[in-house]
Structures are given as C-alpha cells and as structure tokens.
Amino acid sequence: MSEWCVSYMGCGGYTGLYLNGSHPGLEDGVVTRDVVGSHIWYYDQCGSYRSNPVQVKACPGDYYVYELITPDVSLEGPSYCAVSFSSTSYDPCYNYESLDRPWRATTESGLWICDESFSWSGWYRLYHYGMNIQMPETCVNPHSCNADSGLWLNGPHPQIEDGVVTREVCGGNYWGGGCCDYKSKPIRVKACPGNYFVYELVNPQYWCLGYCTDVSTISQTDPTTTPAVFTGPNATFYDPCSNYNIQDDYWRSTLNYMYSYGYITGHDDTRVKWAGWYRLFINGSSAQMPDWCVYYMSCGGFSSLWLNGSHPGVEDGVVTREVYGSHYDQCSHYTSNPIQVKACPGHYYVYKLTRPNVAIPAPSYCAVPFGTPSVDPCDSYTSLDESWRSTDNHYYNYYYYNNYYSMCDYNVEWNGWYRLFINGHTSQMPESCVSQGMCGTYSPLYLRDPHPQLEDGVVTRHVCMSGWNSCCGYESHPIQVKACPGDYYVYEFVRPLHCSSYCAAVTDPCLSLNCTEDEWCGERHGVHGCFCKDNQTSPEPHSFDFSETCESSSGSLSLSRCQLFEAGFSAHVLHLNDP
C-alpha cells in the first residue's frame, strides 16, 4: 500500500486511501496503521479523510500483508491504493542512463514540456552540460523547469549507507500557491560513490509536470564517471551510400504532430546511441530530412530538427550542413550540432546523424517521404472542383448560408495529385498573400514560391498560411507541384498543420499560350489550346503541316501546333519512333 499522499480519483476510485505512516520492519510484528484519503477543493488536501485503521505485517521475502476491512462508508468512492516497485537485480549506480538536460534547471521556464509524454524506464543520472546535478529538495516555483509545474523531492537525498530509498515527489500549484499541492508518484533514489545520485523516474501523475534539477547543486564529475556522449565513428572507410543504418520511424514524419495533442509518447534523440551513417525511411518508403522550417512539436518530439541548407548533388560528395530546431513559430530558434550529408545514386540521401545539442528540449530529427512519382501526375490526377476555395470567397458566406463555420483541409484524407478547377474552369493556387478569412476558411493557404515551368519537372514549394498580423504567419507543410502541357498544374496536397484550406484562383490560360495570328485560343475536353483559323488547310488524316531546318550536323522539325491540338495530341506525347 502507498504510504504517500495519493491524489483524489486515484487507484480506480474517487478517494484514494493510503497508510498514514511507514511500513513496519520484520521485528515489529503486527502493527496498526491509520488510513487516510485525499480531498480536493482548490487543490489537493492530503489526509482530509480518515478511514478505518488496518493491521500490517512485514514478511520474510520483502513483502507485506494487510488485514483490509470495509472503509468508512461516509467516504465517497474509497479505494485502497497499491504501488509497485520492481526488485533491482543490479546496482543502479553502475547501470543507468545519462540524462543531460540543461532545460530542466530550476532557473529555466517558458516552455510546457510534459514528462508524462516520455517513456521512462529504469534509473537515470542527472547532468547539466556534463556536470553533476541533482533534484531539488525544496519548493520550486510554478512554471519552473520548462513545465507547468516543476517536481522536487519532499525529503532529503539518502546517504550511501541507506541504499535504495523511496521519496515523495511534490509539485506546486500556481492557483493554490502551495509548494506541494500536487503529489506525483513517489520515486526511488540511491546515493552512489563519486558523490552523485541515481533516480528511478516514472511517468508523473498529472498533466504537464516535469522533473527539476537544482542549479545550486552543480558539481564537477568524477573523471571515471563521465556521462556517455554518443557519437559516430571519427572516420568513414567505406562509401556511406553502400554502408548505412536504416532508420525507419513513422513518427519522424513532418506530417506527424500527434505529440502536441498527447496522442503519442514523446521522443528525444539525445537519448539515442547514434553511430555512423543513416538512410531515412517512413513506413518502408524512402525519406529525407526537410531543408525547410518544420513546426515545433512535429516529428514525434518537442523541438523539430531540420537542415539549414539544401541537399547536395551526387557530384558534391560529403557536405556538412547546419541543423536548426523550431520553437513555437520561430523556425531557427535552436542551433543543434551540424551533420554530414551525401547524395547517393538512386535518388536518396544518407546522413551522419549525431547526438543533438543537449540544450535543446527533446529534439527529434525530422523526415519527409518525398519520392519520385511512378507515373506522370499530369496524366494521373484527381480533379478538385470546389467553388468555396476561390480567393474571393469569404468564409462568412458559407457560415450564414450553409450552417458551418469554416472549411478545414486538415480533415481531408489527401492521397496523391490534384488538379484545381472552379466551376469547371482551370485554376491554380495563388502565389501571393491571401487575406485571412478567404477561400472559405479562417486560414487560407497559398504558395510562397512561384509555380514551376514545364522543364522543371516535379518541384517542392513552400506553403504559407495567412494570419492577422502577417501574410505568412505560419508555414504549413511544403507540397510538390508540376507544370503540365495544356497550361495547368497538379499539386500533391497533404494534410495542413492547422484548420486551413488550399486556395484556388481562376486564371486566363490563353495569356500564356501566345497563340499566333493564324490561331485562336479555345478549350477542348477541359484543356485550353490554340485552334487553327479558317485560313489554314485541314491536314489529311495522320498528316500535319511541317517545316524542316538543317544546319551543319544538326537539324530540326516543326509541326503545326493547332493541327496537333485539334487532332487531340499535346506536345509532351511527341517522341522519335526510332533510336
């Protein structure tokens, strides 16, 4: 049974019951202990309820037995509480994980990093930039240690001769004003030779609590117990394009921001033993690190890491790139340790990933699954004809007439490539600022970069989301775009970051076709092109007007564009019939 304050609504009931006193020793025999329960008003009040006492006995084999009886019936939903401490078959002083997290210091604040979002397993030794540090033993101000409530030990650290001890963990409440308004789960602590401590950290009991480190306890480390810093080998003797580790973590995707909603456990790449070169995958598909700003709390961690600089070409060999981390809407708030990158034949990259800067809160290397389309998206796309996406449509129009507030592409299951229409007319995403509230949504999305040319093929373009204070208040996920024959574009849409929608603007395709004086612009099967005027002779079947030009060792052949268009051909299907 717990002998520490248990928060109300714990242990499966409304009033968690625990022992008001320590457990007996073997020599004490059967003892009687009071049983109390917690009550909440503005904050937890430990021991507010008193239940019927129980008898307890310690038994050989390191366990206890209790003579449990019916609790006081005046208590609301009482439930006896139990706490499990696994036996340790090893000395945790020599079997621990190094936890060098300067942002846990009692002097740090401003972020909300919640320790219940991380996977805690086993014993940890605390560091501050490579130096010893320990948990505080006194009250910590609310919002300290970059958590909503910082956790501290409600009891002194043990001596070496005490062995493994259990300590109550407290957290302050901003509204209640007390030092120990929150009673988190107790933890075990041990003092070790070399003047340091190890802690068996567990998931805290409430939302957004964080274990603190006390800067007043910083001391130099013993040279024989230096914290582990995981790096790869100093030299590469083989081509990393052929000798790499596979890193396939679905949660590294830039489209994954489930951590920010508490749906997945947070990851921290400073806890990974990086060694050598890595190729990134997402669910088996080849991926690469993004070289654009990634929103914080994406990619499964708190601080999203991305390359500050474009990827190299195959001819560039191994290059070094800076790595940045995001903080709220500040793209390059953090600077991590640089990494090496190499482009490989076969359209993929390898990275020499190293331990990120420990000063960055819970950093995570990001990955994006941009691959080469197996078919030409100009010939394989989904038509998207939704008039509410128009740049001149305010979302209030749909609120009043259609009983909904704002369209959200976040709720759409995007899959593949799309061509935009508005009422049957070809349209494209705007390339300039769109006022907030247009395109049928509260936050419209537009391209920050210009559309590509035909010869550019598939390109990546940044996507901006309009805000009250600026045109590009946030950046959503980049998308791939391709220009197609027939003067239209296709887009590989993905789920945006927030409740926002991709905008569409009707354009005049005839302006860019530049039809000659013998041609006129028109539409055929949804595609605009140049038709032949009456003064041009209609060709015989499978025969078109052409002209030849020969110069030195080269030559060219030109065919009538309007005759080809009227016959149903487009320029991109023309090819030589012989090698």
Side-chain angles (χ1 to χ4, degrees):
M1 276 185 69
S2 175
E3 55 188 53
W4 308 273
C5 180
V6 177
S7 297
Y8 90 113
M9 298 184 73
C11 315
Y14 189 87
T15 305
L17 301 180
Y18 60 96
L19 294 183
N20 187 27
S22 60
H23 280 73
L26 284 172
E27 65 281 3
D28 298 325
V30 176
V31 300
T32 301
R33 290 288 183 265
D34 287 330
V35 175
V36 293
S38 299
H39 169 68
I40 187 169
W41 184 241
Y42 291 109
Y43 51 90
D44 283 345
Q45 297 174 339
C46 295
S48 299
Y49 296 120
R50 187 171 294 275
S51 185
N52 301 319
V54 300
Q55 290 187 301
V56 188
K57 186 174 190 291
C59 301
D62 196 30
Y63 66 93
Y64 303 95
V65 288
Y66 309 84
E67 189 179 26
L68 301 180
I69 59 176
T70 301
D72 188 328
V73 294
S74 67
L75 302 183
E76 185 175 3
S79 178
Y80 286 114
C81 290
V83 59
S84 173
F85 287 124
S86 59
S87 60
T88 303
S89 59
Y90 56 86
D91 187 347
C93 286
Y94 306 103
N95 292 273
Y96 57 79
E97 181 177 335
S98 300
L99 207 62
D100 194 338
R101 305 294 182 274
W103 47 269
R104 291 188 178 275
T106 48
T107 54
E108 298 289 332
S109 62
L111 304 178
W112 277 262
I113 306 176
C114 312
D115 273 349
E116 72 272 11
S117 298
F118 294 97
S119 297
W120 299 103
S121 177
W123 292 78
Y124 299 86
R125 180 178 174 184
L126 304 178
Y127 292 93
H128 187 89
Y129 292 115
M131 293 183 289
N132 281 324
I133 196 170
Q134 63 190 56
M135 286 186 66
E137 300 173 355
T138 56
C139 185
V140 173
N141 293 327
H143 305 324
S144 297
C145 317
N146 279 319
D148 187 51
S149 182
L151 297 178
W152 54 280
L153 292 185
N154 189 18
H157 281 75
Q159 302 296 314
I160 288 181
E161 59 271 18
D162 297 330
V164 175
V165 301
T166 303
R167 290 291 182 262
E168 188 175 59
V169 175
C170 282
N173 186 332
Y174 179 80
W175 300 106
C179 285
C180 198
D181 297 328
Y182 292 130
K183 302 281 188 175
S184 189
K185 299 174 184 176
I187 63 172
R188 292 194 291 186
V189 187
K190 187 181 182 188
C192 299
N195 195 28
Y196 66 91
F197 299 92
V198 288
Y199 306 83
E200 190 180 34
L201 303 180
V202 298
N203 282 1
Q205 192 158 352
Y206 291 105
W207 180 82
C208 215
L209 303 182
Y211 292 108
C212 287
T213 56
D214 186 356
V215 292
S216 67
T217 65
I218 294 175
S219 63
Q220 293 293 331
T221 59
D222 187 316
T224 62
T225 59
T226 304
V229 178
F230 306 123
T231 60
N234 294 326
T236 303
F237 300 99
Y238 303 98
D239 183 359
C241 288
S242 305
N243 295 271
Y244 54 76
N245 301 298
I246 291 178
Q247 196 75 23
D248 191 343
D249 302 311
Y250 75 93
W251 44 263
R252 291 192 185 277
S253 170
T254 55
L255 300 179
N256 170 35
Y257 29 86
M258 305 303 286
Y259 168 56
S260 61
Y261 298 105
Y263 296 147
I264 67 167
T265 299
H267 295 272
D268 185 342
D269 276 345
T270 63
R271 296 172 64 180
V272 177
K273 295 183 179 180
W274 300 104
W277 290 81
Y278 294 83
R279 180 179 174 185
L280 300 177
F281 291 84
I282 295 179
N283 293 326
S285 298
S286 184
Q288 66 186 61
M289 280 189 68
D291 46 29
W292 56 83
C293 178
V294 178
Y295 196 67
Y296 92 115
M297 296 182 78
S298 302
C299 316
F302 186 86
S303 303
S304 307
L305 299 182
W306 48 281
L307 289 185
N308 179 33
S310 60
H311 281 74
V314 174
E315 67 280 3
D316 297 324
V318 176
V319 300
T320 300
R321 291 288 183 265
E322 296 289 335
V323 175
Y324 281 168
S326 302
H327 167 66
Y328 296 107
D329 57 350
Q330 299 173 349
C331 288
S332 54
H333 184 80
Y334 298 113
T335 300
S336 188
N337 302 321
I339 63 172
Q340 290 182 303
V341 188
K342 187 181 183 191
C344 300
H347 304 291
Y348 67 91
Y349 302 95
V350 288
Y351 308 85
K352 193 174 184 182
L353 301 179
T354 62
R355 191 187 196 199
N357 189 335
V358 296
I360 303 176
S364 178
Y365 287 114
C366 289
V368 57
F370 276 156
T372 303
S374 57
V375 296
D376 187 350
C378 290
D379 300 324
S380 178
Y381 57 78
T382 300
S383 297
L384 198 63
D385 192 343
E386 295 169 323
S387 59
W388 56 263
R389 294 186 182 275
S390 174
T391 53
D392 59 3
N393 174 47
H394 199 283
Y395 75 93
Y396 278 128
N397 297 338
Y398 271 64
Y399 172 60
Y400 288 118
Y401 297 111
N402 295 294
N403 288 325
Y404 51 79
Y405 189 69
S406 176
M407 303 302 289
C408 291
D409 279 344
Y410 176 86
N411 300 321
V412 178
E413 292 295 331
W414 299 103
N415 183 23
W417 292 78
Y418 296 82
R419 178 180 173 184
L420 293 173
F421 294 87
I422 294 180
N423 296 325
H425 298 285
T426 294
S427 63
Q428 66 185 57
M429 285 188 69
E431 300 172 357
S432 57
C433 183
V434 178
S435 299
Q436 189 174 43
M438 306 308 289
C439 309
T441 187
Y442 188 74
S443 301
L445 299 175
Y446 65 93
L447 292 185
R448 196 188 73 183
D449 314 303
H451 282 76
Q453 302 297 314
L454 280 172
E455 60 271 17
D456 296 330
V458 175
V459 300
T460 301
R461 290 293 183 257
H462 294 86
V463 175
C464 275
M465 185 173 72
S466 300
W468 285 115
N469 298 324
S470 63
C471 283
C472 199
Y474 291 98
E475 282 203 33
S476 189
H477 300 296
I479 62 174
Q480 294 193 110
V481 187
K482 188 183 181 191
C484 299
D487 197 47
Y488 65 92
Y489 301 94
V490 287
Y491 308 85
E492 189 181 32
F493 289 138
V494 298
R495 179 179 291 181
L497 195 61
H498 300 292
C499 180
S500 52
S501 292
Y502 294 106
C503 287
V506 175
T507 58
D508 184 359
C510 294
L511 295 177
S512 59
L513 286 175
N514 296 319
C515 296
T516 68
E517 60 181 11
D518 295 324
E519 300 171 332
W520 61 275
C521 181
E523 185 179 356
R524 180 189 181 93
H525 304 306
V527 178
H528 282 79
C530 295
F531 288 85
C532 299
K533 287 187 176 180
D534 294 338
N535 59 355
Q536 288 206 58
T537 304
S538 298
E540 295 295 327
H542 310 298
S543 175
F544 301 94
D545 293 343
F546 69 93
S547 64
E548 293 177 296
T549 302
C550 295
E551 293 182 0
S552 184
S553 60
S554 65
S556 64
L557 174 68
S558 300
L559 289 86
S560 169
R561 175 173 61 174
C562 64
Q563 291 177 353
L564 286 170
F565 181 71
E566 290 180 354
F569 296 104
S570 58
H572 80 289
V573 302
L574 296 178
H575 61 277
L576 294 178
N577 202 35
D578 299 295

